[in-house]
Amino acid sequence: MTILNQQNDGLFNVLIVLVRSIIRFSPRDEEQLLLSCGANLDSVISTQLENTVLRWRELGLFCKSDGVISLAEPYRTMLGSKHDKAEERLPRIARAVVLDPENNERFWDAEGAKSADFTRAVAWMLAQDVYTLPQSSRELEALVNEQLIDPTAITIVQNDTRWNGLNSWMPFLGFAREANRWEVDPTEALRDVLPDVFGSAPRLIAGEFLERIALALPVLDGGKYRREVESVLKESNWPKPEAGTLSTSLSRALQRLEREGTLRLQQLSDTGEGATLTGRNRRRWRDFTHVELSRRGSK
């Protein structure tokens, strides 16, 4: 099973319903939990509820003790006791669960990989030129095969169904957005980790800022999972950013966060130790050496 399999256990709205029920009605045995989510209704596919409970127990969001299903710590505390607030916080919590190292140990395995299939797929998507990335699963699959050093040994996404699941989960987990069209954009995921990235520091040098976000979101530039994926790609067929420049996906997110007032990208020296944003047609947007967090703009 995998969260990318929408037919069985890959619908985030099912996860929302389960979490809402546990918080609103308190932990309960699995049968009661499923009934509280409408498992006895003809319009509800009860197996999706059952499989989603099983999947997210395996990933560590839920736990079961004496037959009772509850939210595992530290996620229960992080979500809080009010179901409306918990629903708002769930994408951030679910993202932390999915990216947890324990859920990505078997990173390239086809079976038993827990959430690694999502992680490697989103890392690959974020490594692409977001302005030329195709929309259809068939074109994406062709592009993957062109870029992989050995497509017979390595798989990024297994089939069309999984691509559809990826397109659904990426906006929910903050790695894409759906406005006029679906677009790769990690702005929301990056926004969520900024308070932890900065801590009490009002400003960071560019290098330290990029290192910290790569630790917080290891599918972004320089992150562990991102490096894993990039290591199996042909540089001749993959638009690898030049040294010192950022991917178009991360550049887009930083540009959006600055425009809304959450961040300030500053050029405070000419030492060449900063970084460069990359835009459409791989054009160099701008250089920056420091990043400042606006307390007014941050959540």
Side-chain angles (χ1 to χ4, degrees):
M1 292 187 294
T2 163
I3 66 169
L4 298 187
N5 188 339
Q6 292 183 296
Q7 185 175 354
N8 291 328
D9 57 349
L11 296 174
F12 65 81
N13 57 342
V14 176
L15 178 64
I16 291 172
V17 169
L18 287 165
V19 170
R20 182 191 295 155
S21 179
I22 292 174
I23 291 175
R24 185 171 184 177
F25 301 115
S26 76
R28 53 190 56 205
D29 67 51
E30 188 165 347
E31 182 179 1
Q32 290 176 321
L33 172 61
L34 299 181
L35 287 173
S36 72
C37 296
N40 59 331
L41 301 177
D42 292 338
S43 58
V44 174
I45 302 174
S46 61
T47 54
Q48 287 187 333
L49 289 167
E50 295 167 7
N51 290 337
T52 301
V53 170
L54 180 60
R55 165 55 57 180
W56 288 88
R57 274 183 59 202
E58 181 185 40
L59 294 178
L61 179 63
F62 299 143
C63 61
K64 187 174 184 178
S65 178
D66 296 327
V68 174
I69 302 294
S70 60
L71 289 162
E73 290 292 1
Y75 308 119
R76 183 187 67 81
T77 300
M78 294 166 71
L79 285 165
S81 59
K82 295 184 177 180
H83 62 89
D84 55 340
K85 290 292 185 182
E87 189 169 330
E88 180 182 320
R89 295 167 182 159
L90 182 57
R92 175 165 53 91
I93 305 303
R95 183 172 59 244
V97 172
V98 167
L99 297 180
D100 189 291
E102 290 188 6
N103 291 327
N104 290 275
E105 289 179 347
R106 301 172 64 176
F107 194 73
W108 294 109
D109 291 1
E111 301 295 334
K114 294 189 175 181
S115 58
D117 60 341
F118 172 85
T119 303
R120 63 177 182 258
V122 76
W124 180 82
M125 294 283 273
L126 291 166
Q128 303 306 305
D129 182 346
V130 297
Y131 299 105
T132 62
L133 194 64
Q135 294 282 304
S136 75
S137 59
R138 180 173 297 181
E139 291 176 300
L140 287 169
E141 186 67 31
L143 183 59
V144 166
N145 290 331
E146 288 176 7
Q147 291 184 356
L148 285 173
I149 295 172
D150 185 357
T152 64
I154 295 291
T155 299
I156 298 293
V157 177
Q158 290 182 340
N159 53 46
D160 286 354
T161 302
R162 305 291 171 86
W163 283 111
N164 293 334
L166 180 66
N167 286 349
S168 174
W169 278 98
M170 282 183 65
F172 179 70
L173 296 179
F175 294 113
R177 59 186 166 122
E178 297 175 284
N180 297 327
R181 66 195 296 266
W182 190 97
E183 294 182 307
V184 174
D185 182 355
T187 300
E188 294 306 318
L190 182 55
R191 187 203 314 280
D192 279 346
V193 302
L194 288 178
D196 294 330
V197 165
F198 279 89
S200 60
R203 177 191 294 157
L204 295 171
I205 61 173
E208 184 175 3
F209 172 75
L210 294 172
E211 287 178 3
R212 290 188 182 189
I213 64 172
L215 287 172
L217 296 170
V219 291
L220 294 183
D221 299 32
K224 176 183 177 180
Y225 305 140
R226 179 66 160 272
R227 297 196 309 270
E228 282 273 357
V229 169
E230 291 179 353
S231 71
V232 301
L233 303 181
K234 301 175 187 172
E235 293 188 13
S236 58
N237 289 10
W238 164 57
K240 181 179 180 179
E242 298 177 7
T245 65
L246 304 182
S247 66
T248 53
S249 62
L250 180 54
S251 296
R252 168 183 274 177
L254 291 174
Q255 187 87 329
R256 287 190 65 205
L257 289 169
E258 182 176 52
R259 285 177 176 174
E260 70 182 32
T262 298
L263 292 178
R264 288 182 62 201
L265 306 181
Q266 302 170 310
Q267 179 70 28
L268 299 180
S269 67
D270 57 1
T271 60
E273 295 180 354
T276 302
L277 300 183
T278 305
R280 192 180 297 274
N281 298 320
R282 304 184 73 179
R283 176 174 56 87
R284 295 170 69 96
W285 260 346
R286 55 183 293 197
D287 301 329
F288 65 98
T289 59
H290 295 74
V291 184
E292 184 175 290
L293 177 64
S294 167
R295 300 298 174 181
R296 173 184 59 82
S298 62
K299 286 188 176 181

